[in-house]
Each structure stands twice: as structure tokens, then as C-alpha cells.
Amino acid sequence: MRIFFRNLLIQFCIFLLFVTPIFSFGKRDYKKNTKPQEFAMEQKDTIIEQDAQLETLNSEKINTSDELNNLSFPDKVNNLINQNDNYMFSPLSIKMALAMVANGTEGKTKDEILTALEIEDLEKFNQWAKETIINLPDSENLRLQIANSLWVNTNRSSNNFSKDFLNITKENFYATAETVRDKNAVSTINNWVSEKTHKKIQGIINSPDFEVMLINALYFKGAWQNEFHQGATKSGSFYNADGSETTTDFMNRTGYYGYCSTEKGQIIKLPYKNVFDQFDENFNRIGRETISMKPAMYVLLPHPEKQPQVYKEITQAISSENIKSTYVKFSMPKFKIEFATTLNKILQSLGINSVFTRQAELAFMFQNKEQFPNFSQVLHKTYISVDEKGTEAAAVTAIAMATTSLPPKPIVLVLDRPFYFAIIDETSEEVLFMGQYSFANQKNN
């Protein structure tokens, strides 16, 4: 029997746009050239607290609007998001959901959205989104799924999405359009979310108090290219952002990784497998499956007192070819993050303002062009779990390399204090997820 431990990283992201009355993957070429109604009740207080803290969170990281404007979209959001706890957000999910909205806008409202998202040509972005969704990997070993849906509550709204808007979102974003009523809105939408996230996110709303809703769901599952063996996982101390210490489980491996040290911190690249052996029912190897998508997690451990711009730091290291194959003794905590936040103030800080006002130009989105609702909340929820899981029959002959000398003394990299991570598809250069792990929580491991 041939057995190896597979290390799984699973991420889920939900992006919701509530629209209510105002009183209530090839490389992308759409991008500008820029420099390097409610969640479940138990989350509501956290979201309100995060929203209230936003204006004072990041004074040490970003000090002027000019500095913010010089950053890429992922780093802009990362600077504005609440960093008082573990968090993760999906630039791709946010971008795709707001791009759907942009297709129903005009004038200033459309310009604000496209400028914030760094989209120069919306038609090119639509085509890119279509090709990306068509070509997403959907195998047992590597899976990225994107689902979009549009909802109208017929008990709350006499309006509906326009035919042209539905055609555009269906053609390019594969969005489904559904109607619900007060009596089935919560269960129907929560069931859709549960299905698209493989039951990892089940309760996203608990009230039918909305007129129309747009939802983007993102699901990712991958296996590490260089596996961590469960037997090497040991307990260790993680030094939290508040100075406290927590004992948690660390995965350990010594081997060759893409690695570099910069002025701001240490960067290590953890690629996911995109080439897989195929076996028949008798475990005879019958071929190989190669997936065009090349996802990798980049981890950035900042030097003390340094506040790096995560995406800028990583992409500069990649483009300058500073990340080189290096022998590293690497330790990383197993971790899980569940994060929920409102994005209203973040989007307003990025210049998206009119969509939240009576001046929103949404006539292309709705059938009744004289009277239509406005956006009241933009909600974002993510989930990530990094650990070792499961066994599978396979041959492990590739790890036996011929060598005539001892390996070099390894560089030691221990992620025992707060670190950033970004999951990037190297084929499209899109950032799937970005986040920070600042507090170890043993019960999540």
C-alpha cells in the first residue's frame, strides 16, 4: 500500500451586496497601470465594532491619501481593513462582485467603481471573468469555484433586474437570477450559500429584510506541493500581537522553498500541486493531469517594527527574481480564520461613494428606471483552514533524489509571531486571498 499525508488548504469567501431603499484566468489586461441585510446574529456585534474602528486602525501603516493612492487594490483594502484580530479577505471576490454592479451603472457611479477596482476596460474585464470561470480547475486535487447569484424579494420590491443586466451577468459571470418571498428568503439563500461553499458557510442571513441582493461565493481547495507530515507536527509557542503567548500546533518541514529576505521581512513561497498522477482502479499509474492554474501561498513574516505593504513587497520580490530556491527549516502553525466585516467605509475610502446615495446611477440595472433602490450594505465573509488531512494511495518515488553531498545548513524560518499571507494565482496574477494571522487560538486547530 502506498500512503502519503495530503496537506489541505481550504478557503471560502462570501461577498454580499444588499440593495434596499436609501431610507432603510490567461493574464489579465483589463487593469489600469498603477503603482507597485445582515449576517447571522452572532456576527453582528463584531461587524459593527469593526466598522466603528476603521478610521483609527491603520495610522501607523498609511498616513496620507496620496500614499494610499499609490498602492494596488489588494494593498489598499489591506490597509483599510480591521487588523485588530485575525482576518482574511478576497480581492478577487470583491472585484468580481463590484464589477457585476458596474455593468448596471453609468456616469459617476460607474467611474468611481472602475477607478477603485483599477479596471480600465469593463468589457475586457467581463471577457476575462468569463474565461476565468470557464477554465477554473475542478478536480479532486485542485479546485477553485466561483458562483454568482442575483435575488429579488418580491414581498419588498416591485422592481426587478433589467433584461440587459441579467444577460450581461449571465453571459460573463454565470450569475443565476432568482426570486424569493419573505417566508423562504432566508432558507433559500442560506441553502445556496451552503451548497456553493461545500457546507462550510451555512448561515449568512437571518432576516428577509431586503429588496434585492447580489452574492459572490468563492471556494478553493488545494494540496501542498511539498507536504507536511503529520508526525512532524509539534506543539510550540505563538507570540500574539497583544504580547500574550499561546501554545498551538506547528507543522514542520525542512526542504527547498522559494525564499528571500527583504528590508521589510522574510518571504517564503508555498506552492500548491497542479500536476497529479492518475491511477486506475488497481492503482496502476495511467497518466498525469496538469492544471493550468498555478496557485501558491506567499507568507511574509515582517521584521520587528516594520509595516510592509504585503502585495507590493511580494510582487517586487517576484519581479526582481529575489525569491530563490533555498534550503529552509520551516515551521508554520496550523490555523483557521473565520472573518466577517462590512466594506461600506472601506469602499468609500477608495472613492466609491455615490452608489450608497440617492444620486446612484443604477438605471441600467433595473426595469423601473425612474425609481430604484440603493445599496445599503456591502458584506464580506471568509473562511480559511490550514492543516494536514487524510491519506491516499500513491507512490512517493519522486522524493528520492540522487546526491553526493550533504545539504547546506538550512535557513530557519519559524512563524511564531504575527504574519501575513497571500494566495496568488501565478498564471493570471490575481490575488485570491490575503490576510494576517495575529492570534493563535488552540480550539481552532
Side-chain angles (χ1 to χ4, degrees), residues 285-304:
R285 184 177 178 274
I286 58 176
R288 307 194 84 183
E289 177 188 15
T290 301
I291 298 173
S292 60
M293 183 181 178
K294 296 175 63 178
M297 173 187 279
Y298 287 86
V299 179
L300 171 56
L301 182 67
H303 295 316

Side-chain angles (χ1 to χ4, degrees), residues 336-391:
K336 181 185 295 184
I337 297 173
E338 296 180 66
F339 180 71
T341 189
T342 60
L343 295 179
N344 292 41
K345 288 189 176 181
I346 291 176
L347 297 179
Q348 289 166 352
S349 296
L350 297 179
I352 302 177
N353 294 296
S354 62
V355 75
F356 298 105
T357 72
R358 295 182 186 274
Q359 287 71 48
E361 299 171 89
L362 304 173
F364 291 162
M365 189 177 295
F366 298 104
Q367 291 177 355
N368 184 342
K369 302 185 185 304
E370 300 300 324
Q371 183 179 5
F372 45 81
N374 299 84
F375 289 94
S376 61
Q377 289 194 67
V378 179
L379 308 177
H380 194 55
K381 183 174 184 179
T382 60
Y383 171 96
I384 181 174
S385 178
V386 180
D387 58 15
E388 314 96 342
K389 288 185 178 179
T391 63

Side-chain angles (χ1 to χ4, degrees), residues 412-429:
V412 177
L413 178 57
V414 181
L415 304 183
D416 60 356
R417 53 188 174 84
F419 60 88
Y420 297 97
F421 60 91
I423 289 75
I424 300 173
D425 172 31
E426 296 180 330
T427 302
S428 66
E429 300 178 352

Side-chain angles (χ1 to χ4, degrees), residues 232-237 247-250 252 442:
T233 297
K234 306 295 181 184
S235 295
S237 295
T247 299
T248 192
D249 288 337
F250 282 80
N252 298 281
Q442 181 63 44

Side-chain angles (χ1 to χ4, degrees), residues 16 39 68 74 89 115 166 176 202 225 324 332 356 373 438:
L16 294 93
F39 288 105
L68 187 66
F89 66 97
T115 299
L166 290 176
T176 58
Q202 299 189 39
Q225 187 177 98
K324 300 184 184 301
M332 178 181 187
F356 298 105
S438 301

Side-chain angles (χ1 to χ4, degrees), residues 126-276:
N126 290 344
Q127 183 62 32
W128 175 86
K130 179 179 180 178
E131 293 173 356
T132 296
I133 295 173
I134 289 175
N135 295 312
L136 289 176
D138 188 20
S139 73
E140 180 183 351
N141 300 297
L142 180 63
R143 179 169 294 153
L144 176 63
Q145 296 174 333
I146 297 173
N148 298 294
S149 59
L150 312 171
W151 305 84
V152 176
N153 185 342
T154 56
N155 285 133
R156 309 277 176 156
S157 176
S158 59
N159 209 337
N160 205 334
F161 296 108
S162 71
K163 183 178 179 180
D164 288 343
F165 180 71
L166 290 176
N167 287 339
I168 290 174
T169 54
K170 181 180 180 180
E171 171 70 18
N172 298 288
F173 299 90
Y174 294 87
T176 58
E178 307 287 346
T179 59
V180 291
R181 302 177 65 82
D182 280 353
K183 65 180 181 180
N184 70 338
V186 172
S187 61
T188 302
I189 290 174
N190 284 342
N191 285 341
W192 184 91
V193 167
S194 177
E195 176 189 350
K196 300 306 177 183
T197 62
H198 296 247
K199 298 183 179 181
K200 290 299 179 178
I201 297 177
Q202 299 189 39
I204 196 70
I205 63 169
N206 65 358
S207 169
D209 186 17
F210 67 89
E211 289 196 12
V212 297
M213 184 186 301
L214 293 84
I215 305 179
N216 170 273
L218 193 64
Y219 171 90
F220 173 80
K221 176 181 178 181
W224 301 119
Q225 187 177 98
N226 298 307
E227 300 147 7
F228 295 91
H229 294 282
Q230 288 181 329
T233 297
K234 306 295 181 184
S235 295
S237 295
F238 187 89
Y239 301 94
N240 301 305
D242 61 1
S244 62
E245 180 180 341
T246 301
T247 299
T248 192
D249 288 337
F250 282 80
M251 303 181 293
N252 298 281
R253 183 181 182 276
T254 300
Y256 284 91
Y257 289 94
Y259 169 87
C260 74
S261 181
T262 71
E263 180 184 346
K264 296 294 182 67
Q266 294 171 280
I267 299 172
I268 191 168
K269 174 184 175 181
L270 309 174
Y272 297 100
K273 292 180 180 178
N274 72 333
V275 179
F276 305 93

